[in-house]
Amino acid sequence: MAAQFPKDFLRAQFVGKDLGAVNTPAVVLDLAKIEANCTMMLEAAERLQLSWRAHIKTHKTEELTRLQVGDKSSSPVNLIVSTITEAEKLIPLLKEYQEKGRQVNVLYSFPLYASCIDRLASISAQLGPGALTVMIDHVDQVPYLGTLTTKSGGNAPLVFLKVNVGSNRAGVVPDTPACGALVDALLASEGKGESALLGLYTHAGHSYATRRDWEAMGILSAEFAALKQVAALVREKRPEPLVLSVGATPTATTIQHPDLASADDPSESAGPELLTAVPTSQLKKLLRDLKASGFALEVHAGVYPTLDIQQLAAHARDAAFLSASRIGISVLADVASVYGGRGPGGGAEALVNAGSLALGREPCEDRGEEPGRHYAAWGVVMPWGGGGLDRAPAPGPEFPAVHTGWEVAKISQEHGVLRWAGDAKDEVPLRVGQRVRIWPNHSCITGAGHGWYLVVDSRNKGREDEIVDVWPRWNGW
C-alpha cells in the first residue's frame, strides 16, 4: 500500500512544480475535466428529477467527493463507499454538510459480515439516525442488523436489498425463493425496529462489456424493470415508498442523452429521437411509469469523474459526450529504455517505469469478432509532451476496434513495455529520458497503487502542467 502523508505536507512538496520536476511514476488528475464530468452528471440527474448517489471508491478523496455532490448545493448528500475506511474518513465532511442543513447518507456497498459491525456502528453513532445505509443479499445477514442497531445506540440502519441483474457479483435473483425469503426477513427486521428498508439496489457491472453508442441505456432500463418486479413483491406486504437505485458508470451516464431531457413530458422533445441500441422512448416511458407508481428513482456511479480506457471502449455515450479528451486521469512515467526493431513488424518498443503496481493489471476485454484485432493492452499513451508526442493519435469514435499510437503492450510489477499500434511509418519516436502520460484501463485499480493525486488544471493556458493541488487518498480497508 502506498505511503500516506498529510495534505499540507504534500502541498508543500508539489504545488507550483511542473510535471517534469516530480518523481515518477505518479498519478495525475486534470481538475478541468473532472469538474466538467461531475457537473454533467449532476445536471442530468437534476434535469430528470432523479436522486443522485455518488460512489467515491474510484478516488477515495474528500476533494473529489465535494465535486460529486455539488459542494455549494443544498440537495441531499448521498454517497457510496466500498471500504469502511472511506466511510470513517468521510465523517468530518458529512458533519460539515449536516451543519449546513444538508441531509446526509452513506451506503456501505458490501453485504454485511460480522467483523464490520463495530466500525459501522461507530459511524452510525457519530452521524445520527438515517445517515447509514447497509447492503443485504442473504437471509443469514439479517441478524447483524439488530446487533448494529444496538451497538450504534439505537440508530436502526437503512437497508438496500441487493438485486442481481446479470453481473453475478452479488445480490439475489428476482422471482426466486431466495428473493422472497429475504424480503420477508427484512420486513420482519423492520417490524422489530432493527432496520428500515430503504429500497432495492442494483449494480450493472456487465454494462462495461457494451461496445455500441448508448447501448448501455438498454441495461439501465433492464435494471429498473428488474427492481420494479421485486418492488411489486415488497408492496404486497408493505405499501410504504421504496427507493429504486440503479447504476454503474456506463448505464448511469446514459441519462445524459439529450432525448431524455423531457422525460416527464412526452409531448415535449429535445429533438428527433436518435437511433440508439435501445430507443430512448422506452426509458422515458419507464421513468414516467415508475414515478407515477410512487417510487423514488436513484442513479449511482463512481468512475465517471475520471473516466478511463474501459469507459471509452464501452461506448455508453456517443462522441459528443464521451471521448478521450474527457479523460481526467493519467499516470506520469519515464521512458527508461528504447529497443529499436524489437516490436512486431520491426517497430520499436520502449520501457517505462509504470507496471502493474502503478497502472493496475485490469484488462479491457477484447470483444471483437476477430480475436486480437481490438484493443487489448494495459493503457494508452496520451498526446502530451515533446518530440511530436503531443500530436500522437488518441482513441477515436471507432475505438476499441480501431486503435493506433503507443500502447502499454506488456506489464510486470514495475515494468511497462510500450509498443506502437498502427502503421509503422506513422510511429512517433520515443527517446530515453522522455516523459509520457498514460491513460489507464481502469481508474479505480490504478489509484489503489498511489497515496495521492497530483492535480493540474488544463484551463491554465501556458501552465497546463503546473501542479495546483494534491489530493491524498484514503487507502486501506
Side-chain angles (χ1 to χ4, degrees), residues 187-235:
L187 294 182
S189 171
E190 183 176 66
K192 292 185 289 185
E194 295 176 346
S195 64
L197 182 58
L198 176 62
L200 312 173
Y201 183 102
T202 68
H203 173 73
H206 54 303
S207 63
Y208 280 63
T210 61
R211 291 295 182 266
R212 292 180 294 169
D213 290 353
W214 304 105
E215 182 181 355
M217 187 183 295
I219 299 177
L220 182 70
S221 295
E223 287 187 90
F224 273 125
L227 293 192
K228 181 181 179 182
Q229 181 181 358
V230 179
L233 175 63
V234 177
R235 278 190 160 179

Side-chain angles (χ1 to χ4, degrees), residues 18 35 58 62 68 76 99 102 111 152 231 243 260 294-296 363 365 383 393 397 411 439 467:
D18 186 88
E35 284 187 351
T58 297
E62 174 187 327
Q68 286 183 287
E99 290 171 359
R102 296 181 74 174
S152 65
V243 175
L260 297 177
F295 294 111
E365 185 181 0
I411 53 173
W439 285 320
I467 297 167

Side-chain angles (χ1 to χ4, degrees), residues 110-114 117 134-147 160 162 170-172 182 185-186 189:
F110 200 92
L112 279 187
Y113 50 96
I117 299 301
V134 297
M135 194 81 76
I136 297 291
D137 75 349
H138 194 283
V139 291
D140 289 347
Q141 297 157 5
V142 175
Y144 295 136
L145 297 172
T147 306
F160 269 125
K162 180 71 175 286
V172 293
L182 184 54
L186 287 174
S189 171

Side-chain angles (χ1 to χ4, degrees), residues 151-165:
K151 291 190 172 186
S152 65
N155 295 335
L158 306 184
V159 175
F160 269 125
L161 186 159
K162 180 71 175 286
V163 178
N164 182 356
V165 292

Side-chain angles (χ1 to χ4, degrees), residues 28 49 115 126 137 234 314 363 385 426 462:
V28 180
Q49 298 180 359
S115 64
Q126 292 178 73
D137 75 349
V234 177
D426 298 325

